[in-house]
Amino acid sequence: MDIEDLERAAALHWQAPETERLGDWLLRAAEGFTGRANSALPLGDPGVPLPEAVAAVQDRDSHRYHYMIAA
Protein backbone atom coordinates (compact mmCIF):
# COMPACT_ATOMS: atom_id res chain seq x y z
CA MET A 1 0.00 0.00 0.00
CA ASP A 2 1.41 3.40 -0.96
CA ILE A 3 0.53 6.93 0.17
CA GLU A 4 -2.05 7.38 -2.62
CA ASP A 5 -3.85 4.23 -1.45
CA LEU A 6 -3.85 5.55 2.13
CA GLU A 7 -5.19 8.94 1.01
CA ARG A 8 -7.99 7.28 -0.98
CA ALA A 9 -8.88 5.03 1.97
CA ALA A 10 -9.01 8.03 4.32
CA ALA A 11 -11.21 9.93 1.85
CA LEU A 12 -13.76 7.10 1.94
CA HIS A 13 -14.08 7.36 5.71
CA TRP A 14 -14.04 11.13 6.18
CA GLN A 15 -16.43 12.27 3.49
CA ALA A 16 -17.72 15.73 2.79
CA PRO A 17 -21.44 16.27 2.24
CA GLU A 18 -20.74 17.41 -1.33
CA THR A 19 -18.21 15.74 -3.64
CA GLU A 20 -17.46 15.70 -7.34
CA ARG A 21 -14.72 14.40 -9.59
CA LEU A 22 -12.30 16.17 -11.87
CA GLY A 23 -10.79 13.19 -13.64
CA ASP A 24 -9.22 11.15 -10.82
CA TRP A 25 -9.21 14.13 -8.45
CA LEU A 26 -11.79 14.30 -5.66
CA LEU A 27 -13.27 17.74 -4.93
CA ARG A 28 -15.01 18.12 -1.57
CA ALA A 29 -17.15 20.83 0.01
CA ALA A 30 -18.99 21.31 3.29
CA GLU A 31 -19.95 24.99 3.31
CA GLY A 32 -16.82 25.99 5.21
CA PHE A 33 -17.28 23.47 8.05
CA THR A 34 -13.75 22.01 8.01
CA GLY A 35 -10.61 22.47 5.98
CA ARG A 36 -10.45 18.81 4.96
CA ALA A 37 -14.06 18.80 3.79
CA ASN A 38 -13.42 21.91 1.71
CA SER A 39 -10.54 20.56 -0.31
CA ALA A 40 -9.23 18.94 -3.44
CA LEU A 41 -7.55 15.55 -3.21
CA PRO A 42 -5.32 15.75 -6.30
CA LEU A 43 -4.39 12.09 -6.79
CA GLY A 44 -4.00 10.72 -10.29
CA ASP A 45 -4.84 12.33 -13.59
CA PRO A 46 -7.27 15.27 -13.53
CA GLY A 47 -8.12 14.62 -17.18
CA VAL A 48 -6.94 18.05 -18.27
CA PRO A 49 -3.54 19.82 -18.18
CA LEU A 50 -2.49 20.79 -14.65
CA PRO A 51 -2.97 24.58 -15.09
CA GLU A 52 -6.53 23.93 -16.32
CA ALA A 53 -7.22 21.57 -13.42
CA VAL A 54 -6.05 24.12 -10.85
CA ALA A 55 -8.13 26.83 -12.54
CA ALA A 56 -11.18 24.52 -12.55
CA VAL A 57 -10.81 23.89 -8.81
CA GLN A 58 -10.46 27.61 -8.14
CA ASP A 59 -13.41 28.42 -10.39
CA ARG A 60 -15.57 25.76 -8.73
CA ASP A 61 -14.92 27.39 -5.40
CA SER A 62 -15.29 31.01 -6.50
CA HIS A 63 -19.08 30.98 -5.95
CA ARG A 64 -18.88 29.39 -2.50
CA TYR A 65 -18.57 31.03 0.91
CA HIS A 66 -15.42 29.15 1.86
CA TYR A 67 -11.94 28.54 0.57
CA MET A 68 -10.56 25.43 -1.12
CA ILE A 69 -7.30 23.78 -0.09
CA ALA A 70 -5.32 20.92 -1.61
CA ALA A 71 -5.08 17.96 0.75
Side-chain angles (χ1 to χ4, degrees):
M1 182 173 275
D2 63 19
I3 189 66
E4 286 189 15
D5 293 331
L6 291 172
E7 288 286 353
R8 285 187 179 96
L12 290 174
H13 298 286
W14 194 355
Q15 297 183 20
E18 184 181 333
T19 61
E20 68 181 83
R21 290 280 178 182
L22 177 63
D24 294 333
W25 290 15
L26 177 63
L27 310 181
R28 305 175 280 204
E31 298 186 18
F33 183 69
T34 71
R36 179 172 285 270
N38 302 308
S39 64
L41 184 60
L43 300 177
D45 182 0
V48 295
L50 184 58
E52 289 178 37
V54 171
V57 170
Q58 291 172 331
D59 184 57
R60 174 186 183 268
D61 193 49
S62 67
H63 68 281
R64 298 175 188 280
Y65 296 111
H66 56 78
Y67 59 92
M68 184 71 85
I69 62 172

